[in-house]
Amino acid sequence: MKLKARWTEMDLFRRGLLLLLAVAIPLFAVVTAVQCSRVGIEYGNAFLRRTENDGVIQYAGRKSGEDSVFTVCPDGRVEYRWGQETYGPYTILQDPSAAPEPSMGDSYVPEGLMGVEVRQGDTVLFRGGWDPDPDMTWYSLYDESGNELSGLSFSATMGDGTMIGSDGEIITPREQHEPKAAQLLRVALAPELVHRGSWLIYTSLTLLAAAGMGYILFYRELFYWNLGFTVKNPKNAEPSDWYVFSSLLGMGIITAVVLVLYVVQAYNIFD
């Protein structure tokens, strides 16, 4: 049967599903290409896109419903803005003498620590060694004495939305979004660039979409092909109402899954 004749005999539901998949494949190819070309960093489960102008690097996006922007200057200054709140400027200095000596045993200090100092004005927020590639991301800081500093913070949200820290003190929204020393060091010295969208997942979904389109076009032929293994004259058989209903339901589910996953992969963060 020619495609024109097949299109004519199809009901509106199958036509609609076929058009959705046919449009989604090239549309999300463009979306995926655009998303993959925009690199940035992941900060607090948010994607901050990287731009550069005259040596000044910015990472900007949306975090917790507000604009979130890191500004990194060539001289080591770092500023952060979340909504109307501004933090810094911080100064990031590299000083090899700040890194503790490597050691084994109970007071383990790994090799290859970068000696750093983080300042805010005249206040030293951190001085010691930083591991740019730690075994566990929340343990990357060691003070000058070799003590390991955890990057984890614990809090609880009360029924009225108030946040309580591990010490029982109330955490204000400003304190909640204040960047930690390890985060400042990561942004300034060794940002891990990521992007949204994945060509591998897009390709897999496109194969699934193509299979779905084939099923929409040839589901009756599949019915007769399956019967051919158990019935002598399958062409004399007619699919039951239940078979037709379950087939249409399957077509709808495949189309919905493909479309949802296209959107998810286009806006998920990948390295």
Side-chain angles (χ1 to χ4, degrees):
M1 184 183 294
K2 293 183 178 180
L3 286 178
K4 185 176 181 180
R6 188 173 295 278
W7 175 262
T8 302
E9 63 88 19
M10 288 171 60
D11 55 65
L12 289 177
F13 180 71
R14 290 168 63 202
R15 289 183 187 180
L17 296 180
L18 195 62
L19 284 174
L20 281 174
L21 291 174
V23 170
I25 291 173
L27 173 63
F28 281 97
V30 174
V31 171
T32 302
V34 171
Q35 295 289 64
C36 288
S37 68
R38 296 174 174 176
V39 298
I41 61 172
E42 184 177 4
Y43 179 67
N45 297 322
F47 177 75
L48 307 184
R49 184 184 173 190
R50 183 185 190 274
T51 57
E52 184 173 354
N53 185 24
D54 294 332
V56 177
I57 299 173
Q58 277 198 337
Y59 300 96
R62 299 280 293 179
K63 181 177 181 292
S64 301
E66 298 286 352
D67 291 335
S68 178
V69 183
F70 275 103
T71 302
V72 182
C73 301
D75 60 3
R77 285 184 298 113
V78 179
E79 296 181 2
Y80 178 61
R81 177 172 59 84
W82 178 78
Q84 300 300 316
E85 300 287 351
T86 56
Y87 304 87
Y90 305 96
T91 303
I92 310 296
L93 302 174
Q94 295 189 50
D95 183 356
S97 67
E101 292 295 325
S103 69
M104 304 298 290
D106 293 337
S107 300
Y108 172 72
V109 178
E111 295 182 352
L113 292 180
M114 184 185 298
V116 295
E117 185 175 280
V118 181
R119 287 178 169 270
Q120 186 174 8
D122 295 328
T123 304
V124 177
L125 302 179
F126 173 77
R127 179 177 170 82
W130 175 58
D131 188 353
D133 189 25
D135 293 332
M136 294 183 291
T137 55
W138 52 88
Y139 287 113
S140 62
L141 297 179
Y142 299 79
D143 64 20
E144 289 183 286
S145 301
N147 298 314
E148 191 174 52
L149 305 179
S150 173
L152 291 174
S153 60
F154 299 94
S155 62
T157 303
M158 309 305 287
D160 59 358
T162 303
M163 293 194 67
I164 305 296
S166 56
D167 56 1
E169 296 291 327
I170 295 177
I171 302 175
T172 66
R174 176 176 174 80
E175 293 171 335
Q176 179 186 351
H177 293 279
E178 184 174 10
K180 306 294 188 294
Q183 295 169 325
L184 292 168
L185 290 165
R186 174 65 64 191
V187 170
L189 300 180
E192 296 178 337
L193 296 181
V194 297
H195 58 81
R196 282 177 168 159
S198 166
W199 280 115
L200 177 62
I201 297 178
Y202 168 81
T203 302
S204 301
L205 290 174
T206 299
L207 292 176
L208 180 59
M213 293 173 71
Y215 184 48
I216 293 170
L217 286 168
F218 303 109
Y219 87 101
R220 282 183 174 272
E221 283 77 359
L222 285 173
F223 169 76
Y224 293 120
W225 180 76
N226 284 328
L227 279 184
F229 293 100
T230 55
V231 177
K232 272 191 174 182
N233 298 305
K235 292 295 183 181
N236 295 330
E238 280 294 324
S240 66
D241 291 342
W242 170 250
Y243 176 84
V244 173
F245 170 77
S246 59
S247 297
L248 293 177
L249 180 62
M251 296 173 198
I253 291 173
I254 291 173
T255 302
V257 168
V258 167
L259 294 178
V260 169
L261 292 181
Y262 265 142
V263 174
V264 170
Q265 72 83 23
Y267 289 92
N268 214 350
I269 299 174
F270 301 89
D271 52 23

